[in-house]
PDB file of all heavy atoms in Angstrom:
ATOM      1  N   LEU A   6     -29.711  37.503  40.958  1.00  0.00           N
ATOM      2  CA  LEU A   6     -28.863  37.054  42.062  1.00  0.00           C
ATOM      3  C   LEU A   6     -28.458  35.588  41.875  1.00  0.00           C
ATOM      4  O   LEU A   6     -27.289  35.223  42.058  1.00  0.00           O
ATOM      5  CB  LEU A   6     -29.607  37.230  43.390  1.00  0.00           C
ATOM      6  CG  LEU A   6     -28.861  36.780  44.647  1.00  0.00           C
ATOM      7  CD1 LEU A   6     -27.545  37.532  44.792  1.00  0.00           C
ATOM      8  CD2 LEU A   6     -29.729  36.966  45.877  1.00  0.00           C
ATOM      9  N   ARG A   7     -29.413  34.759  41.447  1.00  0.00           N
ATOM     10  CA  ARG A   7     -29.089  33.347  41.230  1.00  0.00           C
ATOM     11  C   ARG A   7     -28.083  33.180  40.095  1.00  0.00           C
ATOM     12  O   ARG A   7     -27.175  32.348  40.157  1.00  0.00           O
ATOM     13  CB  ARG A   7     -30.367  32.562  40.954  1.00  0.00           C
ATOM     14  CG  ARG A   7     -31.232  32.330  42.203  1.00  0.00           C
ATOM     15  CD  ARG A   7     -32.377  31.367  41.911  1.00  0.00           C
ATOM     16  NE  ARG A   7     -33.352  31.936  40.985  1.00  0.00           N
ATOM     17  CZ  ARG A   7     -34.374  32.695  41.363  1.00  0.00           C
ATOM     18  NH1 ARG A   7     -34.549  32.985  42.645  1.00  0.00           N
ATOM     19  NH2 ARG A   7     -35.215  33.165  40.465  1.00  0.00           N
ATOM     20  N   SER A   8     -28.224  33.997  39.057  1.00  0.00           N
ATOM     21  CA  SER A   8     -27.279  33.945  37.938  1.00  0.00           C
ATOM     22  C   SER A   8     -25.884  34.363  38.394  1.00  0.00           C
ATOM     23  O   SER A   8     -24.874  33.755  38.016  1.00  0.00           O
ATOM     24  CB  SER A   8     -27.764  34.860  36.815  1.00  0.00           C
ATOM     25  OG  SER A   8     -26.816  34.927  35.768  1.00  0.00           O
ATOM     26  N   TYR A   9     -25.837  35.382  39.231  1.00  0.00           N
ATOM     27  CA  TYR A   9     -24.552  35.861  39.753  1.00  0.00           C
ATOM     28  C   TYR A   9     -23.886  34.792  40.620  1.00  0.00           C
ATOM     29  O   TYR A   9     -22.670  34.572  40.534  1.00  0.00           O
ATOM     30  CB  TYR A   9     -24.799  37.142  40.559  1.00  0.00           C
ATOM     31  CG  TYR A   9     -23.593  37.637  41.325  1.00  0.00           C
ATOM     32  CD1 TYR A   9     -22.472  38.145  40.660  1.00  0.00           C
ATOM     33  CD2 TYR A   9     -23.584  37.618  42.707  1.00  0.00           C
ATOM     34  CE1 TYR A   9     -21.366  38.608  41.356  1.00  0.00           C
ATOM     35  CE2 TYR A   9     -22.482  38.075  43.424  1.00  0.00           C
ATOM     36  CZ  TYR A   9     -21.380  38.576  42.740  1.00  0.00           C
ATOM     37  OH  TYR A   9     -20.292  39.027  43.425  1.00  0.00           O
ATOM     38  N   LEU A  10     -24.675  34.108  41.410  1.00  0.00           N
ATOM     39  CA  LEU A  10     -24.124  33.054  42.261  1.00  0.00           C
ATOM     40  C   LEU A  10     -23.534  31.919  41.429  1.00  0.00           C
ATOM     41  O   LEU A  10     -22.533  31.308  41.794  1.00  0.00           O
ATOM     42  CB  LEU A  10     -25.205  32.518  43.202  1.00  0.00           C
ATOM     43  CG  LEU A  10     -25.668  33.457  44.319  1.00  0.00           C
ATOM     44  CD1 LEU A  10     -26.873  32.864  45.050  1.00  0.00           C
ATOM     45  CD2 LEU A  10     -24.539  33.695  45.317  1.00  0.00           C
ATOM     46  N   ARG A  11     -24.185  31.636  40.277  1.00  0.00           N
ATOM     47  CA  ARG A  11     -23.728  30.526  39.437  1.00  0.00           C
ATOM     48  C   ARG A  11     -22.497  30.897  38.607  1.00  0.00           C
ATOM     49  O   ARG A  11     -21.614  30.078  38.389  1.00  0.00           O
ATOM     50  CB  ARG A  11     -24.848  30.077  38.494  1.00  0.00           C
ATOM     51  CG  ARG A  11     -25.980  29.308  39.173  1.00  0.00           C
ATOM     52  CD  ARG A  11     -26.869  28.648  38.124  1.00  0.00           C
ATOM     53  NE  ARG A  11     -27.442  29.633  37.200  1.00  0.00           N
ATOM     54  CZ  ARG A  11     -28.614  30.232  37.372  1.00  0.00           C
ATOM     55  NH1 ARG A  11     -29.341  29.942  38.462  1.00  0.00           N
ATOM     56  NH2 ARG A  11     -29.067  31.099  36.491  1.00  0.00           N
ATOM     57  N   THR A  12     -22.445  32.142  38.127  1.00  0.00           N
ATOM     58  CA  THR A  12     -21.420  32.463  37.120  1.00  0.00           C
ATOM     59  C   THR A  12     -20.500  33.624  37.469  1.00  0.00           C
ATOM     60  O   THR A  12     -19.364  33.669  37.002  1.00  0.00           O
ATOM     61  CB  THR A  12     -22.111  32.801  35.789  1.00  0.00           C
ATOM     62  OG1 THR A  12     -22.947  33.958  35.974  1.00  0.00           O
ATOM     63  CG2 THR A  12     -22.961  31.642  35.308  1.00  0.00           C
ATOM     64  N   GLY A  13     -20.966  34.559  38.244  1.00  0.00           N
ATOM     65  CA  GLY A  13     -20.174  35.787  38.401  1.00  0.00           C
ATOM     66  C   GLY A  13     -19.571  36.016  39.769  1.00  0.00           C
ATOM     67  O   GLY A  13     -18.771  36.936  39.955  1.00  0.00           O
ATOM     68  N   MET A  14     -19.919  35.203  40.736  1.00  0.00           N
ATOM     69  CA  MET A  14     -19.444  35.447  42.096  1.00  0.00           C
ATOM     70  C   MET A  14     -17.984  35.050  42.233  1.00  0.00           C
ATOM     71  O   MET A  14     -17.595  33.937  41.870  1.00  0.00           O
ATOM     72  CB  MET A  14     -20.299  34.655  43.094  1.00  0.00           C
ATOM     73  CG  MET A  14     -20.000  34.978  44.532  1.00  0.00           C
ATOM     74  SD  MET A  14     -21.194  34.154  45.633  1.00  0.00           S
ATOM     75  CE  MET A  14     -20.604  34.742  47.210  1.00  0.00           C
ATOM     76  N   GLN A  15     -17.164  35.968  42.714  1.00  0.00           N
ATOM     77  CA  GLN A  15     -15.745  35.705  42.893  1.00  0.00           C
ATOM     78  C   GLN A  15     -15.409  35.665  44.379  1.00  0.00           C
ATOM     79  O   GLN A  15     -15.983  36.408  45.167  1.00  0.00           O
ATOM     80  CB  GLN A  15     -14.906  36.788  42.206  1.00  0.00           C
ATOM     81  CG  GLN A  15     -15.129  36.864  40.704  1.00  0.00           C
ATOM     82  CD  GLN A  15     -14.291  37.947  40.050  1.00  0.00           C
ATOM     83  OE1 GLN A  15     -13.512  38.614  40.708  1.00  0.00           O
ATOM     84  NE2 GLN A  15     -14.464  38.097  38.743  1.00  0.00           N
ATOM     85  N   PHE A  16     -14.487  34.819  44.726  1.00  0.00           N
ATOM     86  CA  PHE A  16     -14.057  34.727  46.119  1.00  0.00           C
ATOM     87  C   PHE A  16     -12.646  34.177  46.169  1.00  0.00           C
ATOM     88  O   PHE A  16     -12.128  33.642  45.177  1.00  0.00           O
ATOM     89  CB  PHE A  16     -15.011  33.828  46.924  1.00  0.00           C
ATOM     90  CG  PHE A  16     -15.102  32.418  46.426  1.00  0.00           C
ATOM     91  CD1 PHE A  16     -14.245  31.437  46.918  1.00  0.00           C
ATOM     92  CD2 PHE A  16     -16.027  32.066  45.448  1.00  0.00           C
ATOM     93  CE1 PHE A  16     -14.319  30.131  46.446  1.00  0.00           C
ATOM     94  CE2 PHE A  16     -16.109  30.768  44.973  1.00  0.00           C
ATOM     95  CZ  PHE A  16     -15.252  29.794  45.467  1.00  0.00           C
ATOM     96  N   SER A  17     -12.006  34.348  47.293  1.00  0.00           N
ATOM     97  CA  SER A  17     -10.638  33.859  47.496  1.00  0.00           C
ATOM     98  C   SER A  17     -10.631  32.832  48.613  1.00  0.00           C
ATOM     99  O   SER A  17     -11.464  32.889  49.528  1.00  0.00           O
ATOM    100  CB  SER A  17      -9.702  35.024  47.852  1.00  0.00           C
ATOM    101  OG  SER A  17      -9.685  35.995  46.828  1.00  0.00           O
ATOM    102  N   GLU A  18      -9.700  31.938  48.526  1.00  0.00           N
ATOM    103  CA  GLU A  18      -9.520  30.950  49.585  1.00  0.00           C
ATOM    104  C   GLU A  18      -8.172  31.185  50.256  1.00  0.00           C
ATOM    105  O   GLU A  18      -7.159  31.395  49.578  1.00  0.00           O
ATOM    106  CB  GLU A  18      -9.559  29.529  49.017  1.00  0.00           C
ATOM    107  CG  GLU A  18     -10.938  29.091  48.547  1.00  0.00           C
ATOM    108  CD  GLU A  18     -10.946  27.630  48.124  1.00  0.00           C
ATOM    109  OE1 GLU A  18      -9.874  26.986  48.209  1.00  0.00           O
ATOM    110  OE2 GLU A  18     -12.008  27.140  47.712  1.00  0.00           O
ATOM    111  N   LEU A  19      -8.177  31.156  51.544  1.00  0.00           N
ATOM    112  CA  LEU A  19      -6.951  31.324  52.312  1.00  0.00           C
ATOM    113  C   LEU A  19      -6.738  30.067  53.137  1.00  0.00           C
ATOM    114  O   LEU A  19      -7.562  29.723  53.984  1.00  0.00           O
ATOM    115  CB  LEU A  19      -7.058  32.544  53.244  1.00  0.00           C
ATOM    116  CG  LEU A  19      -5.846  32.832  54.136  1.00  0.00           C
ATOM    117  CD1 LEU A  19      -4.612  33.144  53.284  1.00  0.00           C
ATOM    118  CD2 LEU A  19      -6.144  33.980  55.092  1.00  0.00           C
ATOM    119  N   GLU A  20      -5.658  29.379  52.853  1.00  0.00           N
ATOM    120  CA  GLU A  20      -5.372  28.143  53.568  1.00  0.00           C
ATOM    121  C   GLU A  20      -4.472  28.442  54.759  1.00  0.00           C
ATOM    122  O   GLU A  20      -3.341  28.927  54.595  1.00  0.00           O
ATOM    123  CB  GLU A  20      -4.705  27.130  52.639  1.00  0.00           C
ATOM    124  CG  GLU A  20      -5.610  26.655  51.505  1.00  0.00           C
ATOM    125  CD  GLU A  20      -4.956  25.570  50.667  1.00  0.00           C
ATOM    126  OE1 GLU A  20      -3.823  25.157  51.009  1.00  0.00           O
ATOM    127  OE2 GLU A  20      -5.573  25.147  49.673  1.00  0.00           O
ATOM    128  N   VAL A  21      -4.980  28.177  55.941  1.00  0.00           N
ATOM    129  CA  VAL A  21      -4.246  28.447  57.171  1.00  0.00           C
ATOM    130  C   VAL A  21      -4.381  27.243  58.083  1.00  0.00           C
ATOM    131  O   VAL A  21      -5.481  26.691  58.236  1.00  0.00           O
ATOM    132  CB  VAL A  21      -4.789  29.706  57.895  1.00  0.00           C
ATOM    133  CG1 VAL A  21      -4.022  29.945  59.192  1.00  0.00           C
ATOM    134  CG2 VAL A  21      -4.690  30.919  56.989  1.00  0.00           C
ATOM    135  N   GLU A  22      -3.289  26.847  58.655  1.00  0.00           N
ATOM    136  CA  GLU A  22      -3.359  25.763  59.630  1.00  0.00           C
ATOM    137  C   GLU A  22      -3.693  26.344  60.998  1.00  0.00           C
ATOM    138  O   GLU A  22      -2.925  27.113  61.568  1.00  0.00           O
ATOM    139  CB  GLU A  22      -2.005  25.024  59.699  1.00  0.00           C
ATOM    140  CG  GLU A  22      -1.795  24.060  58.551  1.00  0.00           C
ATOM    141  CD  GLU A  22      -0.642  23.101  58.822  1.00  0.00           C
ATOM    142  OE1 GLU A  22      -0.353  22.843  60.003  1.00  0.00           O
ATOM    143  OE2 GLU A  22      -0.049  22.646  57.842  1.00  0.00           O
ATOM    144  N   LEU A  23      -4.844  25.994  61.489  1.00  0.00           N
ATOM    145  CA  LEU A  23      -5.285  26.498  62.789  1.00  0.00           C
ATOM    146  C   LEU A  23      -4.984  25.473  63.865  1.00  0.00           C
ATOM    147  O   LEU A  23      -5.147  24.267  63.649  1.00  0.00           O
ATOM    148  CB  LEU A  23      -6.791  26.793  62.761  1.00  0.00           C
ATOM    149  CG  LEU A  23      -7.245  27.868  61.771  1.00  0.00           C
ATOM    150  CD1 LEU A  23      -8.767  27.969  61.765  1.00  0.00           C
ATOM    151  CD2 LEU A  23      -6.633  29.218  62.123  1.00  0.00           C
ATOM    152  N   PRO A  24      -4.564  25.931  65.025  1.00  0.00           N
ATOM    153  CA  PRO A  24      -4.313  24.978  66.117  1.00  0.00           C
ATOM    154  C   PRO A  24      -5.616  24.332  66.572  1.00  0.00           C
ATOM    155  O   PRO A  24      -6.689  24.954  66.521  1.00  0.00           O
ATOM    156  CB  PRO A  24      -3.716  25.854  67.219  1.00  0.00           C
ATOM    157  CG  PRO A  24      -4.214  27.240  66.926  1.00  0.00           C
ATOM    158  CD  PRO A  24      -4.312  27.331  65.435  1.00  0.00           C
ATOM    159  N   ALA A  25      -5.517  23.095  66.967  1.00  0.00           N
ATOM    160  CA  ALA A  25      -6.708  22.399  67.456  1.00  0.00           C
ATOM    161  C   ALA A  25      -7.182  23.063  68.748  1.00  0.00           C
ATOM    162  O   ALA A  25      -6.393  23.243  69.680  1.00  0.00           O
ATOM    163  CB  ALA A  25      -6.386  20.932  67.707  1.00  0.00           C
ATOM    164  N   PRO A  26      -8.447  23.478  68.810  1.00  0.00           N
ATOM    165  CA  PRO A  26      -8.938  24.156  70.021  1.00  0.00           C
ATOM    166  C   PRO A  26      -9.061  23.173  71.179  1.00  0.00           C
ATOM    167  O   PRO A  26      -9.361  21.992  70.991  1.00  0.00           O
ATOM    168  CB  PRO A  26     -10.312  24.675  69.593  1.00  0.00           C
ATOM    169  CG  PRO A  26     -10.752  23.718  68.529  1.00  0.00           C
ATOM    170  CD  PRO A  26      -9.496  23.319  67.793  1.00  0.00           C
ATOM    171  N   GLY A  27      -8.817  23.694  72.362  1.00  0.00           N
ATOM    172  CA  GLY A  27      -9.025  22.876  73.552  1.00  0.00           C
ATOM    173  C   GLY A  27     -10.469  22.956  73.989  1.00  0.00           C
ATOM    174  O   GLY A  27     -10.979  24.030  74.315  1.00  0.00           O
ATOM    175  N   ILE A  28     -11.163  21.861  73.939  1.00  0.00           N
ATOM    176  CA  ILE A  28     -12.583  21.837  74.273  1.00  0.00           C
ATOM    177  C   ILE A  28     -12.792  20.985  75.514  1.00  0.00           C
ATOM    178  O   ILE A  28     -12.345  19.835  75.575  1.00  0.00           O
ATOM    179  CB  ILE A  28     -13.422  21.271  73.109  1.00  0.00           C
ATOM    180  CG1 ILE A  28     -13.234  22.145  71.868  1.00  0.00           C
ATOM    181  CG2 ILE A  28     -14.895  21.186  73.497  1.00  0.00           C
ATOM    182  CD1 ILE A  28     -13.930  21.607  70.633  1.00  0.00           C
ATOM    183  N   GLU A  29     -13.446  21.566  76.477  1.00  0.00           N
ATOM    184  CA  GLU A  29     -13.737  20.838  77.706  1.00  0.00           C
ATOM    185  C   GLU A  29     -15.244  20.839  77.934  1.00  0.00           C
ATOM    186  O   GLU A  29     -15.871  21.905  77.924  1.00  0.00           O
ATOM    187  CB  GLU A  29     -13.023  21.487  78.896  1.00  0.00           C
ATOM    188  CG  GLU A  29     -13.271  20.771  80.222  1.00  0.00           C
ATOM    189  CD  GLU A  29     -12.553  21.441  81.380  1.00  0.00           C
ATOM    190  OE1 GLU A  29     -11.748  22.360  81.128  1.00  0.00           O
ATOM    191  OE2 GLU A  29     -12.815  21.056  82.537  1.00  0.00           O
ATOM    192  N   VAL A  30     -15.813  19.694  78.107  1.00  0.00           N
ATOM    193  CA  VAL A  30     -17.253  19.565  78.340  1.00  0.00           C
ATOM    194  C   VAL A  30     -17.481  19.320  79.827  1.00  0.00           C
ATOM    195  O   VAL A  30     -16.948  18.367  80.397  1.00  0.00           O
ATOM    196  CB  VAL A  30     -17.850  18.406  77.518  1.00  0.00           C
ATOM    197  CG1 VAL A  30     -19.338  18.260  77.831  1.00  0.00           C
ATOM    198  CG2 VAL A  30     -17.621  18.639  76.033  1.00  0.00           C
ATOM    199  N   THR A  31     -18.244  20.204  80.431  1.00  0.00           N
ATOM    200  CA  THR A  31     -18.558  20.076  81.851  1.00  0.00           C
ATOM    201  C   THR A  31     -20.058  19.879  81.999  1.00  0.00           C
ATOM    202  O   THR A  31     -20.837  20.764  81.615  1.00  0.00           O
ATOM    203  CB  THR A  31     -18.133  21.333  82.631  1.00  0.00           C
ATOM    204  OG1 THR A  31     -16.738  21.567  82.415  1.00  0.00           O
ATOM    205  CG2 THR A  31     -18.406  21.169  84.112  1.00  0.00           C
ATOM    206  N   PRO A  32     -20.494  18.763  82.503  1.00  0.00           N
ATOM    207  CA  PRO A  32     -21.945  18.547  82.648  1.00  0.00           C
ATOM    208  C   PRO A  32     -22.542  19.475  83.696  1.00  0.00           C
ATOM    209  O   PRO A  32     -21.881  19.852  84.670  1.00  0.00           O
ATOM    210  CB  PRO A  32     -22.036  17.080  83.093  1.00  0.00           C
ATOM    211  CG  PRO A  32     -20.714  16.793  83.723  1.00  0.00           C
ATOM    212  CD  PRO A  32     -19.704  17.613  82.982  1.00  0.00           C
ATOM    213  N   LEU A  33     -23.776  19.882  83.457  1.00  0.00           N
ATOM    214  CA  LEU A  33     -24.497  20.686  84.440  1.00  0.00           C
ATOM    215  C   LEU A  33     -24.760  19.863  85.692  1.00  0.00           C
ATOM    216  O   LEU A  33     -24.961  18.648  85.626  1.00  0.00           O
ATOM    217  CB  LEU A  33     -25.841  21.152  83.871  1.00  0.00           C
ATOM    218  CG  LEU A  33     -25.821  22.168  82.730  1.00  0.00           C
ATOM    219  CD1 LEU A  33     -27.241  22.377  82.217  1.00  0.00           C
ATOM    220  CD2 LEU A  33     -25.237  23.483  83.188  1.00  0.00           C
ATOM    221  N   SER A  34     -24.784  20.546  86.819  1.00  0.00           N
ATOM    222  CA  SER A  34     -25.225  19.869  88.033  1.00  0.00           C
ATOM    223  C   SER A  34     -26.716  19.577  87.907  1.00  0.00           C
ATOM    224  O   SER A  34     -27.410  20.166  87.064  1.00  0.00           O
ATOM    225  CB  SER A  34     -24.975  20.761  89.252  1.00  0.00           C
ATOM    226  OG  SER A  34     -25.819  21.906  89.209  1.00  0.00           O
ATOM    227  N   ALA A  35     -27.198  18.692  88.734  1.00  0.00           N
ATOM    228  CA  ALA A  35     -28.634  18.362  88.700  1.00  0.00           C
ATOM    229  C   ALA A  35     -29.469  19.606  88.970  1.00  0.00           C
ATOM    230  O   ALA A  35     -30.518  19.834  88.353  1.00  0.00           O
ATOM    231  CB  ALA A  35     -28.940  17.271  89.722  1.00  0.00           C
ATOM    232  N   GLY A  36     -28.996  20.445  89.882  1.00  0.00           N
ATOM    233  CA  GLY A  36     -29.728  21.670  90.203  1.00  0.00           C
ATOM    234  C   GLY A  36     -29.745  22.647  89.045  1.00  0.00           C
ATOM    235  O   GLY A  36     -30.784  23.227  88.717  1.00  0.00           O
ATOM    236  N   ALA A  37     -28.580  22.823  88.400  1.00  0.00           N
ATOM    237  CA  ALA A  37     -28.505  23.747  87.271  1.00  0.00           C
ATOM    238  C   ALA A  37     -29.404  23.285  86.132  1.00  0.00           C
ATOM    239  O   ALA A  37     -30.098  24.086  85.507  1.00  0.00           O
ATOM    240  CB  ALA A  37     -27.059  23.867  86.800  1.00  0.00           C
ATOM    241  N   ALA A  38     -29.405  21.994  85.858  1.00  0.00           N
ATOM    242  CA  ALA A  38     -30.279  21.458  84.816  1.00  0.00           C
ATOM    243  C   ALA A  38     -31.744  21.696  85.141  1.00  0.00           C
ATOM    244  O   ALA A  38     -32.577  21.892  84.256  1.00  0.00           O
ATOM    245  CB  ALA A  38     -30.009  19.963  84.635  1.00  0.00           C
ATOM    246  N   ALA A  39     -32.056  21.721  86.426  1.00  0.00           N
ATOM    247  CA  ALA A  39     -33.448  21.880  86.845  1.00  0.00           C
ATOM    248  C   ALA A  39     -33.944  23.318  86.724  1.00  0.00           C
ATOM    249  O   ALA A  39     -35.146  23.540  86.560  1.00  0.00           O
ATOM    250  CB  ALA A  39     -33.606  21.403  88.296  1.00  0.00           C
ATOM    251  N   VAL A  40     -33.028  24.305  86.799  1.00  0.00           N
ATOM    252  CA  VAL A  40     -33.495  25.695  86.862  1.00  0.00           C
ATOM    253  C   VAL A  40     -33.106  26.546  85.657  1.00  0.00           C
ATOM    254  O   VAL A  40     -33.640  27.647  85.499  1.00  0.00           O
ATOM    255  CB  VAL A  40     -32.969  26.393  88.139  1.00  0.00           C
ATOM    256  CG1 VAL A  40     -33.427  25.645  89.384  1.00  0.00           C
ATOM    257  CG2 VAL A  40     -31.450  26.542  88.113  1.00  0.00           C
ATOM    258  N   LEU A  41     -32.186  26.072  84.816  1.00  0.00           N
ATOM    259  CA  LEU A  41     -31.654  26.928  83.758  1.00  0.00           C
ATOM    260  C   LEU A  41     -32.757  27.496  82.863  1.00  0.00           C
ATOM    261  O   LEU A  41     -32.928  28.711  82.752  1.00  0.00           O
ATOM    262  CB  LEU A  41     -30.646  26.144  82.918  1.00  0.00           C
ATOM    263  CG  LEU A  41     -30.064  26.885  81.706  1.00  0.00           C
ATOM    264  CD1 LEU A  41     -29.350  28.156  82.139  1.00  0.00           C
ATOM    265  CD2 LEU A  41     -29.119  25.979  80.936  1.00  0.00           C
ATOM    266  N   LEU A  42     -33.518  26.643  82.214  1.00  0.00           N
ATOM    267  CA  LEU A  42     -34.555  27.114  81.292  1.00  0.00           C
ATOM    268  C   LEU A  42     -35.674  27.828  82.035  1.00  0.00           C
ATOM    269  O   LEU A  42     -36.275  28.776  81.521  1.00  0.00           O
ATOM    270  CB  LEU A  42     -35.102  25.947  80.481  1.00  0.00           C
ATOM    271  CG  LEU A  42     -34.113  25.286  79.516  1.00  0.00           C
ATOM    272  CD1 LEU A  42     -34.779  24.143  78.766  1.00  0.00           C
ATOM    273  CD2 LEU A  42     -33.550  26.307  78.531  1.00  0.00           C
ATOM    274  N   ARG A  43     -35.961  27.364  83.244  1.00  0.00           N
ATOM    275  CA  ARG A  43     -37.019  27.991  84.039  1.00  0.00           C
ATOM    276  C   ARG A  43     -36.678  29.444  84.342  1.00  0.00           C
ATOM    277  O   ARG A  43     -37.537  30.327  84.314  1.00  0.00           O
ATOM    278  CB  ARG A  43     -37.216  27.202  85.334  1.00  0.00           C
ATOM    279  CG  ARG A  43     -38.622  27.221  85.902  1.00  0.00           C
ATOM    280  CD  ARG A  43     -39.609  26.589  84.945  1.00  0.00           C
ATOM    281  NE  ARG A  43     -40.932  26.472  85.521  1.00  0.00           N
ATOM    282  CZ  ARG A  43     -41.997  26.123  84.845  1.00  0.00           C
ATOM    283  NH1 ARG A  43     -41.896  25.867  83.564  1.00  0.00           N
ATOM    284  NH2 ARG A  43     -43.184  26.023  85.419  1.00  0.00           N
ATOM    285  N   SER A  44     -35.414  29.701  84.647  1.00  0.00           N
ATOM    286  CA  SER A  44     -35.014  31.062  84.998  1.00  0.00           C
ATOM    287  C   SER A  44     -35.074  31.985  83.780  1.00  0.00           C
ATOM    288  O   SER A  44     -35.400  33.168  83.906  1.00  0.00           O
ATOM    289  CB  SER A  44     -33.605  31.062  85.588  1.00  0.00           C
ATOM    290  OG  SER A  44     -32.635  30.734  84.614  1.00  0.00           O
ATOM    291  N   ILE A  45     -34.790  31.443  82.594  1.00  0.00           N
ATOM    292  CA  ILE A  45     -34.910  32.249  81.374  1.00  0.00           C
ATOM    293  C   ILE A  45     -36.370  32.632  81.148  1.00  0.00           C
ATOM    294  O   ILE A  45     -36.688  33.775  80.803  1.00  0.00           O
ATOM    295  CB  ILE A  45     -34.354  31.480  80.169  1.00  0.00           C
ATOM    296  CG1 ILE A  45     -32.850  31.259  80.339  1.00  0.00           C
ATOM    297  CG2 ILE A  45     -34.636  32.224  78.865  1.00  0.00           C
ATOM    298  CD1 ILE A  45     -32.239  30.376  79.272  1.00  0.00           C
ATOM    299  N   GLY A  46     -37.270  31.675  81.349  1.00  0.00           N
ATOM    300  CA  GLY A  46     -38.695  31.968  81.211  1.00  0.00           C
ATOM    301  C   GLY A  46     -39.151  33.025  82.187  1.00  0.00           C
ATOM    302  O   GLY A  46     -39.942  33.918  81.849  1.00  0.00           O
TER     303      GLY A  46
END
């Protein structure tokens, strides 16, 4: 497997321009931060 990875593995590259994702960060409320992990437990 290591030999194949070094010499025999073939793959293709596809170049595509992807739109920049819209990322919004919303902080947890104090209450949510207090109970989130506790509720999973």
Side-chain angles (χ1 to χ4, degrees):
L6 179 59
R7 286 189 293 274
S8 175
Y9 171 68
L10 290 172
R11 287 193 302 269
T12 62
M14 187 173 181
Q15 299 180 2
F16 60 90
S17 301
E18 290 186 0
L19 179 62
E20 295 185 3
V21 179
E22 282 194 26
L23 298 175
I28 300 175
E29 180 180 352
V30 178
T31 304
L33 292 174
S34 67
V40 302
L41 176 59
L42 294 180
R43 210 62 174 171
S44 68
I45 295 174

